[in-house]
Amino acid sequence: MPSDGEYCGKADETEADEKEQKIWKKWLKVTGFILVTIIAPLWLLDKQTILSEEFMTGALFVNVFAVIQIFHVVYLTYRNYVRKTEHDVLGYVMDNQGVLYPQEIAEFTDESLSSIQRMADRWHKANLVSTSYGNDGTVMYLFPNVTAESMVYLREPNYNPLAQLKRVKEQLMQTCCYAFLYSFLAGYAFMNWSHFIFYGGIGAVCAAYRTFYSIQAREEAEQIERIGLQVATHRNGQLTVHELAYNAMVSMKEAAKLLKKWELANIARRIEIGEGFVPVYIISGVVSKECGWLQSGCSTIHFRWGV
C-alpha cells in the first residue's frame, strides 16, 4: 500500500504540472495576440501609408479614446479602493461601539497607523466624526448613534488590494494593445472610407460607452438610496453618514453627499450632536411596517453582497 507521503508527492507533482500547463497556455495566447495586433498590421501596411496625415488622424482618435478609457479605469479602481478600505475600518468602528482607536487599527484591519490617520483626519475635517482624548492623552475618534442595529447589511470581506492591482495592470496592458491594433484599423478606415462614416462610427462608440456608464451609475445610485432608506427604517428614521457608508459600502464622502442632497430636497432633517457637531439625519415618513419599534424582536437583516 502506498504511504500518505507518496500520495502527497503525487498530488504536488500534479498541481505543479497543471500550473506549468497554465503558464504555457498563457504565453501562447500572449504570443498569438502580439502576432495579430502588432506584426500583422506592420506587415500589411507600408511606412508611407502609416506616416500619411489621414492615417495619423484616424489613429489619433483611437488613442484619445484609449487615454480616456485608461483614466476611467484608474478612477474606478481608486474609488473602489477607497470604498473597500473605509468599509473595513467602519466595520471595526461598528464592532467597537462607535469608537476608533488608531493604535488598534492594524490588528483588526488591513490598514496601517499612517493610513488610518490620514483617513480619520479627512473625516474629522469634514465634521463627520468627533474627537476625544483618553487619560493618557491618546486621541479617539467618536461616531455617534452606533448601536447593534447600525449594521443592517453584513458583507463578507472579499477585497484584496494586491489582487486588484494585478487585475488593473492586466486591463491597462490589454487597453494599450487594443489601442495599437485599432489605431491601424482606424487609420485605414479614415483613408479609404468616407469621413462621414468614420466620424459616425467614432460617435456611435462614444455614445454607446457613455450610455452604458450612465445607466450603470444611475442603477448604482438608486441602489444606494434604497439601502439608505432601509437602514433608516431599522433605525427608527435616524441615519448617520457612517451608517449609510458602511451598509451601502460607499465612501464617507459619497454618503455625506447623498444625505446633503436629501436635506436640500427636504427628505431629511439634519441635527448635530457631540462635541464636533457630527450630523445625524432624521428621515421623515420612514416607519417599519414589519415590526413596531416600541416592541422587541426586530431582528437585523443579514445580506451577502460582494462588490
Side-chain angles (χ1 to χ4, degrees), residues 164-174:
Q164 180 67 19
L165 180 61
K166 182 180 179 181
R167 286 194 294 269
V168 172
K169 288 169 58 179
E170 294 176 352
Q171 189 174 0
L172 293 180
M173 288 298 298
Q174 290 177 0

Side-chain angles (χ1 to χ4, degrees), residues 251-264:
S251 66
M252 292 277 279
K253 182 178 180 180
E254 291 175 296
K257 185 177 180 181
L258 175 60
L259 291 175
K260 183 65 176 179
K261 175 183 175 182
W262 284 359
E263 182 185 7
L264 295 176

Side-chain angles (χ1 to χ4, degrees), residues 282-303:
I282 307 299
I283 313 298
S284 58
V286 177
V287 179
S288 175
K289 295 181 180 180
E290 297 181 359
C291 56
W293 287 98
L294 296 179
Q295 301 175 356
S296 60
C298 286
S299 58
T300 303
I301 293 178
H302 297 274
F303 177 72

